Amino acid sequence: MKLTTQTDYALRTLMFLATRSSRANVRDIATLFGISVNHVAKVVNLLAREGYILSTRGVGGGIELAKPPAEIFIGQVVAAMETDMHLLSCVGSDDSCAIHSFCKLKGVLAEAERVQREYLDGVTLADVVPTRRQLNRVQ
């Protein structure tokens, strides 16, 4: 599975927020990672809709995690951000090629996907978050 840029930015945003004890803003995240403010804003909107972050408008506003990093599972974030997580299109359908009725590869790939999802569902944001000091060295 190759994750989309959107999922990459979502995971980076969550990691950044997990290192902060107060609200942050989209520009801080975009600057640190060298990505577009508009892309980060779009990801923040999706993460807020999925309940991973809280967004507060106005003076003193900003974004922050909606729950502790230990309660945010990487697999769930990936599933929320990705539209298609299949290794091949045939894994998600019944008849995408001429040999689907006897192909054993589909079962192998389906099992690989299951193992991957199971693993990612067991990893929390707390398991992967860098320290604030490590992130500050990036700048």
Side-chain angles (χ1 to χ4, degrees):
M1 162 182 24
K2 180 174 177 159
L3 300 179
T4 61
T5 302
Q6 175 175 285
T7 302
D8 177 20
Y9 292 175
L11 293 169
R12 290 192 217 188
T13 297
L14 292 172
M15 288 169 41
F16 179 91
L17 293 175
T19 67
R20 300 302 188 254
S21 56
S22 60
R23 290 185 185 122
N25 65 58
V26 169
R27 185 167 304 285
D28 293 338
I29 297 166
T31 300
L32 176 71
F33 293 117
I35 54 183
S36 159
V37 171
N38 291 336
H39 281 98
V40 176
K42 180 180 175 185
V43 166
V44 163
N45 189 357
L46 291 170
L47 288 169
R49 272 192 275 158
E50 292 292 330
Y52 292 109
I53 64 172
L54 299 172
S55 179
T56 306
R57 295 183 184 271
V59 178
I63 55 176
E64 61 189 316
L65 292 178
K67 45 188 156 182
E71 294 177 19
I72 298 175
F73 292 89
I74 301 300
Q76 292 173 350
V77 174
V78 169
M81 296 292 123
E82 292 292 323
T83 56
D84 182 9
M85 295 189 1
H86 295 298
L87 294 171
L88 288 176
S89 61
C90 66
V91 179
S93 70
D94 287 331
D95 52 289
S96 61
C97 79
I99 65 169
H100 78 276
S101 63
F102 57 87
C103 180
K104 295 179 182 177
L105 181 60
K106 179 178 177 176
V108 169
L109 295 177
E111 178 62 10
E113 288 178 7
R114 185 195 66 73
V115 169
Q116 186 174 36
R117 278 190 315 273
E118 184 178 292
Y119 176 76
L120 291 175
D121 284 344
V123 178
T124 69
L125 181 59
D127 296 326
V128 300
V129 69
T131 66
R132 185 172 185 165
R133 188 177 193 184
Q134 288 170 321
L135 272 184
N136 287 341
R137 278 192 232 141
V138 172
Q139 297 176 349

